[in-house]
Amino acid sequence: MNIGEKIKLLRQQKGLKQEELAKVLNISRKSISHYETGRVLPPIDILKAIADYFGVSVDYFFSEHSGKNEVEFVDVDFKTVPLYSAPASAGNGAFPDEIYVIGEVKAISKDVDFAVRVVGDSMEPVAPDGSVLFVKKQPHAFNGDMIVCTYDGWIYVKWYVKEDDKVMLLSENPVYRPIIVEPDDRFIIHGVVKEIMSKPPKKVLK
């Protein structure tokens, strides 16, 4: 079982609805849904809160056992990736003058290559302003992926949706209108978001 499946199992064993667990954790029901389906990995602080609430250790989510009462101590080896200065705008776009590494952050997922910080509220509550995105570097995406991309020279974080030949960049916040990507537009996918850290990381000095 993966992390999302284990969260769902714990919730169901306790007889909770997604809305009820979301209220306990002070997050949105959509966030719980994204975690359980594996669409987004929960940030480390939320994962710890879930573990504390259900009376399991954080190690439980990384164990190969699926049962709640199984005990296995796991040495969790977090991956360290570079944090770039370029913001991923969750709003109307951000244009960095220069991109450079400003520090390092630790990720749960091994399948990530770099991290950027979110600026704006268009992806709230899933990726709130100030959160850090852990991204797998790749030039393509699948329908429903959260991506970091450049569109018309501006950097964005959006949901990637493709219907027939039409590509749309969607926000989580309904206040923001979809961006329609035309065939001749300058559009580059930098990578797919695999994990979100909701609290700013501590700077790691090199």
Side-chain angles (χ1 to χ4, degrees):
M1 297 178 74
N2 59 34
I3 292 175
E5 290 170 336
K6 289 185 177 183
I7 292 173
K8 184 176 181 179
L9 175 64
L10 291 171
R11 176 179 61 78
Q12 290 178 336
Q13 287 179 337
K14 203 172 181 68
L16 294 176
K17 296 180 180 179
Q18 287 184 342
E19 293 86 349
E20 294 171 320
L21 180 57
K23 186 175 181 180
V24 169
L25 299 172
N26 196 28
I27 59 177
S28 70
R29 186 205 62 79
K30 281 188 177 180
S31 294
I32 296 295
S33 177
H34 289 322
Y35 299 157
E36 291 186 353
T37 59
R39 195 177 191 187
V40 175
L41 274 174
I44 295 174
D45 58 317
I46 295 296
L47 197 62
K48 185 177 185 305
I50 293 172
D52 290 344
Y53 178 73
F54 289 111
V56 299
S57 69
V58 174
D59 291 344
Y60 161 76
F61 296 104
F62 302 95
S63 167
E64 294 181 358
H65 295 299
S66 60
K68 177 181 175 182
N69 296 322
E70 294 283 357
V71 176
E72 179 182 359
F73 291 96
V74 181
D75 183 12
V76 182
D77 183 19
F78 296 106
K79 182 176 182 178
T80 300
V81 297
L83 174 65
Y84 284 95
S85 61
S89 177
N92 295 318
F95 191 86
D97 295 326
E98 186 177 1
I99 299 175
Y100 55 92
V101 176
I102 59 174
E104 296 178 334
V105 285
K106 293 184 181 296
I108 294 175
S109 175
K110 300 289 184 183
D111 197 22
V112 295
D113 301 296
F114 66 92
V116 291
R117 184 170 289 129
V118 173
V119 176
D121 64 353
S122 79
M123 294 303 285
E124 290 187 348
V126 177
D129 182 35
S131 60
V132 173
L133 308 178
F134 293 89
V135 186
K136 178 182 180 181
K137 186 178 180 180
Q138 61 183 55
H140 62 275
F142 294 102
N143 213 0
D145 282 343
M146 183 186 291
I147 64 169
V148 173
C149 64
T150 297
Y151 172 73
D152 196 24
W154 299 82
I155 294 179
Y156 291 92
V157 52
K158 298 292 180 185
W159 294 116
Y160 175 87
V161 176
K162 187 173 184 180
E163 296 179 354
D164 297 324
D165 293 330
K166 183 168 69 174
V167 172
M168 295 182 291
L169 305 178
L170 304 183
S171 301
E172 184 72 18
N173 188 337
V175 171
Y176 292 84
R177 300 181 64 180
I179 296 173
I180 309 299
V181 180
E182 302 294 342
D184 294 332
D185 288 342
R186 293 174 56 199
F187 174 61
I188 302 171
I189 297 175
H190 300 295
V192 174
V193 177
K194 295 292 184 179
E195 183 183 336
I196 300 171
M197 180 188 293
S198 62
K199 292 183 179 180
K202 293 181 180 179
K203 185 175 181 180
V204 178
L205 300 177
K206 292 186 175 181

